[in-house]
């Protein structure tokens, strides 16, 4: 800090010393002239001398000579001659009459170092002062340059240290770490034989030893896992065999039952023919048999097998009623008998109670028989409890999820079909809801599948407790559930239930003191609004669920049939575009870009066209929106770049020096392979210079995308590729794009250019964009040039480059050469330059007249106190002369020296008008009249400078 302060002091002293030296030179010259007896104010040629001093000494801002009262006699700025300086510098030199310097805030708002040297005549009388000044900002800039150099030196020192440190780290740390990384990769690939040669006892050596130990442990654990896997496979195989055996037993049981039924049928026939024979068979049969009085249900007879089965003595059974054994209610018995009749079966399924209290499932075959001359029922009972359990297990496996116990896909489909049937009959609504858990995968990955399974079980239980009794919750795999809501009256009722489901799921799940949180995305559709079958309803709910996920998850979304139709149409169009690329149906048309001032063809814009086999030539507006943000957009963008470079190569071989611009979307720009593909394409067409390829970036790209496309564009610029900001003025923030993007050229959107001749607002926008581009030295091109009048208007605004239907429509590549010949023969466009040059003097004269009219009207409005005019005092940029000066005037005459002098004079006139208006409003008439004289003098000077400009042009 001290060095910077010292440098500032020394540099300031050096400038002051130089300024004093120049001042003494001027003082010496004036003293010699005064010694001849000449008055100070009579010395001619001093103004030019002072101007020469300022021009030859770059740090000197002004030089002047005042008399003893501070009135300027000579000055490098002629406008200050006669000005009275009564500032602190003038007072101090008047009092001390010796050379001094002082920091001085001048009337122009700038701070100067002012050097003052007194002048004495041959009689040693004080007659005036020589004053010179230089800007304090010169010192500030020099100090900033010194600080920058110090920073560079420090950075270089740090860079050398970093390189040495890198070499040390590479030898002592990086190489051993690379070796350990290789060994770790071998372990990850299941290779445990490789060894590390690191034997040091530092941290790296200990890490190497630990890594070898870990490899050994992993190898051992892998072996154990493989062993556990084999054991699990064996258990599964055993369980599979057991189930197969159960099925086989069931088959044998059914076969035995069939045989028994056949035997029993024969037995029944025999019994009918011989009661005695029946009695013998009844007693000796191993089948459980009873005879029952059909009137009151009393048990009339029981065989030995029944005694053993029921656990009662025969005497006890004979005192019992069949209702004492059959535990079904009368209603259930009637229902079963009715069902057997409808199913045309000759047996019934009941539940009988044993003496032990155990309830068993039985299959009862009954028929009439004569018993002691009385018609009774005989019943043959088979125990089917084990079969029922096996069937129930098979049914559970077939219809329920093994993890959560919820209905699976099969049972869910059956219940959904039943719900649709009921809804049709009752006129109610059915909601098919597809639910997917948000945040489940991180839990599964972090805590393992066992924890994930527990979360699914907990969610399943919460869902079952939340929905109503007649609703169905089904798990169809992974973390996906389907909920069928029945008997709904409205969509609001469905939404209410689903909101409750969302709240229940989002409540924290506590597992082993760990709090886990998940949410859900739910898509649903309503039947019969969505009048589809069960499978399609489920698919629609699934589609709605993905829409909910896309909207940020933890959302509920209702399936929209219209949106579904749009999605299907989109998919069909997308697939058709894929076919079009494969079939080579796309072509490039080229629209010329020209310099409207000199008539030169500067390049072509490549525009995509689809040669549709049925619909003919299609413009990009009819299909590009389908490709937006898709892989197909990238594929087609690559094709366009390759085809454009190939066409450039063809034109170049024919001696046609053209450039080609291609339009690139933000999605393509952000693709990781974009820069590589551009580089590869330039290598493939190496005869084409990179600066002949131009990328046009839409200004309607979002600000978020903007931050991600800057680096790819910078890489392309480094290769020499040109960048154009297309459709400038139509996007999110034109100035943001203009400031941040590495842009070579601005392209004004055609929507402004087309109507600029009729719409003043569009004309003002075009003029602003042109002025902005010229101020920052960027070329600007206008698209939408529909006529030669558009071209003339653009040239007057300072825009030389253009394209549009007024110049040429897009054309096939093979038509470009013929069009260029016709363009050079187009006399209207080729003579446009001469037409504008003829109008140049007229433009200036019109501007002068307009400015004089504005000034006269302004003065009239200010001085006429009775006037209530709504006259607007426009600023120096928006008045007619200001617009001409920064637009067409700059384009035509900006290179002339006199042109630059007009700006300060014009701005001063506007400043004086504003001061006059303020003085008039405050009632200071005397001061207003003084300023009015100054305004008229300044205007005369302004007109004189314009006349000089006219003489230069002539």
């Amino acid at each position: 800090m001290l060095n910077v302060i010292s440098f500032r002091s020394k540099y300031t002293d050096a400038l002051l010393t130089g300024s004093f030296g120049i001042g003494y030179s001027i003082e010496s010259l004036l003293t010699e002239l005064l010694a001849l007896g000449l008055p100070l104010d009579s010395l001619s040629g001093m103004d030019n001398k002072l101007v020469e001093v300022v021009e030859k000494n770059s740090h000197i801002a002004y030089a002047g000579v005042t008399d003893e009262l501070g009135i300027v006699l000579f000055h490098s700025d002629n406008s200050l001659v006669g000005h009275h300086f009564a500032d602190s510098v003038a007072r101090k030199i008047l009092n001390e009459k010796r050379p001094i310097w002082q920091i001085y805030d001048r009337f122009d708002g700038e701070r100067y170092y002012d050097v003052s040297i007194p002048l004495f005549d041959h009689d040693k009388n004080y007659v005036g002062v020589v004053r010179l000044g230089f800007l304090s900002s010169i010192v500030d800039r020099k100090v900033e340059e010194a600080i920058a150099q110090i920073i560079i030196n420090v950075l270089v020192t740090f860079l050398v240290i970093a390189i040495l440190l890198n070499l040390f780290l590479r030898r002592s740390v990086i190489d051993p770490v690379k070796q350990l990384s290789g060994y770790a990769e071998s372990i990850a690939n299941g290779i445990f034989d490789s060894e590390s040669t690191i034997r040091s006892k530092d941290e790296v050596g200990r890490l190497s030893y630990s890594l070898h130990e870990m490899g050994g442990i992993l190898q051992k654990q892998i072996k154990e896992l493989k062993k556990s896997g084999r054991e699990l496979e064996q258990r599964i195989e055993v369980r599979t065999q057991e189930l197969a055996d159960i099925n086989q037993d069931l088959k044998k049981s059914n076969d035995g039952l069939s045989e028994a039924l056949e035997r029993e049928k024969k037995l029944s026939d025999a019994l009918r023919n011989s009661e005695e024979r029946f009695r013998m068979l009844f007693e000796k049969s191993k089948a459980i048999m009873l005879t029952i009085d059909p009137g009151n249900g009393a048990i009339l007879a029981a065989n030995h097998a029944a005694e053993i089965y029921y656990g009662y003595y025969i005497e006890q059974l004979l005192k019992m009623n069949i209702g004492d054994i059959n535990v079904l209610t009368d209603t259930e018995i009637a229902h079963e008998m009715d069902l057997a009749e409808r199913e045309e079966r000759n047996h019934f399924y009941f539940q009988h109670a044993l003496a032990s209290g155990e309830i068993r499932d039985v299959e009862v075959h009954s028929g009439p028989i004569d018993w002691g001359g009385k018609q009774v029922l005989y019943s043959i009972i088979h125990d089917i409890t084990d079969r029922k359990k096996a069937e129930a297990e098979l049914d559970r496996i077939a219809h329920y999820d093994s993890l959560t116990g919820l209905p699976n896909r099969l049972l869910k489909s059956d219940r959904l079909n039943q719900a649709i049937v009921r809804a049709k009959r009752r006129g109610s609504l059915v909601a098919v809801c597809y639910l997917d858990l948000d945040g489940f995968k991180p839990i599964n990955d972090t805590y393992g599948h066992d924890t994930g399974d527990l979360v699914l079980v907990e969610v399943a239980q919460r869902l079952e407790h939340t929905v109503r009794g007649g609703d169905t919750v089904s798990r169809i795999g992974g973390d996906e559930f389907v909920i069928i809501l029945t008997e709904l009256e409205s969509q609001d009722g469905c939404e209410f239930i689903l909101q409750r489901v969302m709240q229940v799921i989002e409540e924290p799940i506590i597992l082993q003191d760990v709090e886990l949180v998940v949410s859900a995305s739910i898509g649903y559709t309503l039947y019969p609004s969505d009048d589809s079958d069960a499978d399609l309803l489920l698919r629609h709910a699934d589609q709605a669920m993905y829409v909910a996920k896309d909207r940020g998850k933890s959302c509920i979304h209702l399936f929209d049939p219209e949106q579904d139709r749009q999605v299907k149409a989109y998919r069909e169009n997308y697939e058709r575009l894929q076919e079009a690329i494969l079939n080579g149906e796309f072509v490039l048309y080229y629209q010329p870009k020209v310099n409207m001032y000199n008539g030169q063809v500067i390049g072509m814009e490549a525009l995509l066209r689809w040669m549709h086999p049925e619909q003919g030539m299609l413009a990009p507006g009819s299909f590009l929106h389908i490709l937006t943000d898709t892989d197909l957009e990238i594929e087609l963008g690559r094709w366009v770049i390759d085809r454009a470079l190939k066409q450039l190569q063809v034109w170049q071989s024919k001696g046609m020096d053209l450039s080609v611009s291609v339009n690139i979307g933000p999605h393509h720009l952000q693709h990781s392979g974009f820069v590589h593909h551009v580089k590869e394409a330039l290598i493939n067409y190496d005869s084409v210079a990179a600066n002949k390829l131009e990328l046009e970036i839409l200004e309607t790209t979002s600000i978020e995308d903007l931050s991600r496309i800057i680096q790819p564009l910078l890489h392309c610029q480094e290769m020499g590729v040109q960048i154009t900001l297309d459709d400038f003025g139509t996007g999110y923030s034109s100035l943001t794009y203009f400031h941040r993007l590495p842009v070579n050229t601005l392209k004004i959107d055609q929507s402004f250019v087309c109507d600029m001749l009729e719409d003043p607002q569009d004309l003002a926008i075009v003029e602003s964009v042109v002025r902005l581009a010229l101020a920052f030295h960027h070329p600007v091109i206008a698209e939408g040039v529909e006529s030669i009048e558009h071209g003339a208007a653009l040239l007057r605004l300072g825009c030389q480059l253009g394209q549009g239907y007024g110049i040429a429509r897009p054309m096939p590549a093979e038509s470009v050469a013929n069009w260029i010949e016709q363009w050079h023969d187009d006399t209207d466009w080729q003579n446009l330059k001469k037409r504008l040059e003829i109008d140049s003097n007229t433009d200036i004269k019109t501007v002068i007249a307009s400015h004089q009219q504005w000034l006269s009207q302004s003065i009239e409005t200010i001085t006429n106190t009775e006037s209530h005019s709504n006259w607007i005092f426009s600023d120096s940029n928006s008045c007619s002369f200001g617009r001409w000066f920064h637009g067409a005037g700059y384009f035509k005459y900006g290179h002339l020296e006199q042109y630059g002098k007009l700006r300060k004079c014009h701005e001063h006139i506007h400043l004086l008008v504003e001061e006059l208006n303020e003085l008039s409003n405050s009632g200071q008439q005397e001061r207003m009249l003084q300023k009015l004289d100054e305004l008229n003098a300044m205007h005369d000077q302004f007109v004189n400078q314009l006349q000089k400009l006219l003489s230069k042009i002539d």
Side-chain angles (χ1 to χ4, degrees), residues 16 35 154 198 248 295 340 400-401 529 606 611 681 727 777 891 936:
L16 288 171
V154 171
I198 301 173
Q248 189 64 33
Y400 291 88
D401 177 53
S529 299
M611 294 292 295
D727 294 345
H777 308 291
F891 170 61
N936 289 326

Side-chain angles (χ1 to χ4, degrees), residues 748-810:
I748 308 173
D749 183 63
Q750 62 180 343
S751 62
F752 303 126
V753 177
C754 289
D755 298 331
M756 63 180 287
L757 300 181
E758 293 82 21
D759 191 334
Q761 290 186 344
D762 284 347
L763 177 62
I765 291 173
V766 173
E767 182 180 4
S768 299
V769 174
V770 172
R771 288 170 58 184
L772 178 68
L774 293 176
F776 286 91
H777 308 291
H778 280 299
V780 59
I781 181 171
E783 61 178 350
V785 180
E786 301 296 320
S787 67
I788 195 169
E789 296 306 323
H790 283 86
L794 288 165
L795 286 173
R796 289 190 182 97
L797 294 177
C799 177
Q800 296 187 16
L801 308 180
Q803 72 178 98
Y805 284 4
I807 298 169
R809 291 178 174 270

Side-chain angles (χ1 to χ4, degrees), residues 51 265 425 471 726 922:
V51 170
K265 185 177 184 300
R425 187 168 62 247
D471 300 330
D726 196 6
S922 61

